Amino acid sequence: MGTSPEGTPGVTTRTEQTSYPYGKTGIWLIGARGSVATTAAVGLAAISAGLTPATGCVTEQEPFRGVALPDFSDLVVGGHDISGVGMAKRAEALVESGMLPLHLFESVRAQLVEADQRVRPGYDPAQQSESQADVARRLAHDISEFRQANALARVIVLDVASTEAPVEPIAEHSDVDLLLAALEDATRAVLPPSSVAAYAAILAGSPYICFTPSTALNVPALRELATHHRVPTAGQDGKTGQTWLRSVLAPALAARGLRVLSWAGTNLLGGGDGATLADPQAVSGKLQSKNRGLQELTGGAVTPLHIDNVQDLGETKVAWDHINIEGFLGSRLTLQTTWSAYDSMLAAPMVLDLSRLMALAHAAGEYGHVEALGFFFKDPWGSDEHAFAHQTRNLVEWTKAATTKLTAGAGSPDQL
């Protein structure tokens, strides 16, 4: 059992870590001044300083002992955002909401201000007159400059920005040449902001993770470009609470031979997410990602999920499920669950876990969709597996195999 830099009992930053001689890793957050990104930055600073244990971080659990992961102290935060409200100011609001402990925030305020100084203006279509190709090149330059200025071995680009409305596919989305030509045209906007950010990550040669249900790499031509540039990718839509519980319960019911007749759900949330998802177009993509896995696990027995904006809930998210089940001799069972939590507190440790694991994937020379990271997502790229127990096994096995590959020298030096 390790101890904190100050020797605080019980506070660890890594247990029995395999040597990871591959330098520091940058976390470049799209939406860096939002609640999730700010909470992750506060948590990272506090864990690195030995002020708190890494509770909720999967990569600190027993099955990941011996896996080659960077220390929390080897992670450096930067990012893009269109907001002018700094991370420290955002953290103050999270303290006022009751989510962040004041003493912890004050202990890492200086680190948060420092991280915010590494945040650059993001892409706001309403304020841009340049082509999307020029925007992507600017964003990619920011990522590369961050890497060089902080002597980083790699930069993980991770999208935690607000959910976008789904986009209708056009011909350019399926043809690389057509897409690249259209991106140079300043009179057109053929990609949504999330996809422009993903393209910038590709141009910068950075691993890319989509924590939202936005379009991002769900554009065939962009996926082709990511493969061509040998960029490892993972997504989509972080599985923080209700969907995670569903992915545990649904397989358990099936294993008992019980048939789900209907599975109705409601989400109540406030804050920025509540306001964003009050838009019928924006919420449609979220509903699709939340229901898709459950539909596969239950054979389609899902009643549509509702998401309602309740602003007085602030940063708290409440999720309710009603499950109607057929049992022996046609008998009926009913299961109801209620989930209430600060959603950013659930998402933030996953952001840190994903960054560490993607650093392993990149150092080991992997590229394309990293299937095992589907453990963290509602709608996992590269995988049709939604049962959480199976996802857990796949993740553990992959980390051990990637560590073996890395320590055997299979990782390409040009990945560094």
Side-chain angles (χ1 to χ4, degrees), residues 123 128-134 181-190:
Y123 171 44
Q128 296 294 155
S129 58
E130 57 190 326
S131 71
Q132 289 191 319
D134 285 335
L183 291 174
E184 297 289 351
D185 187 344
T187 66
R188 301 188 66 191
V190 294

Side-chain angles (χ1 to χ4, degrees), residues 67-78:
V67 173
L69 300 173
D71 282 324
F72 289 105
S73 58
D74 286 332
L75 300 176
V76 182
V77 171

Side-chain angles (χ1 to χ4, degrees), residues 8 10 21 31-32 97 122 130 139 204 218 251 257 288 358 361 382:
T8 306
S97 75
E130 57 190 326
L139 301 181
N218 288 324
Q288 289 172 16
M358 188 60 94

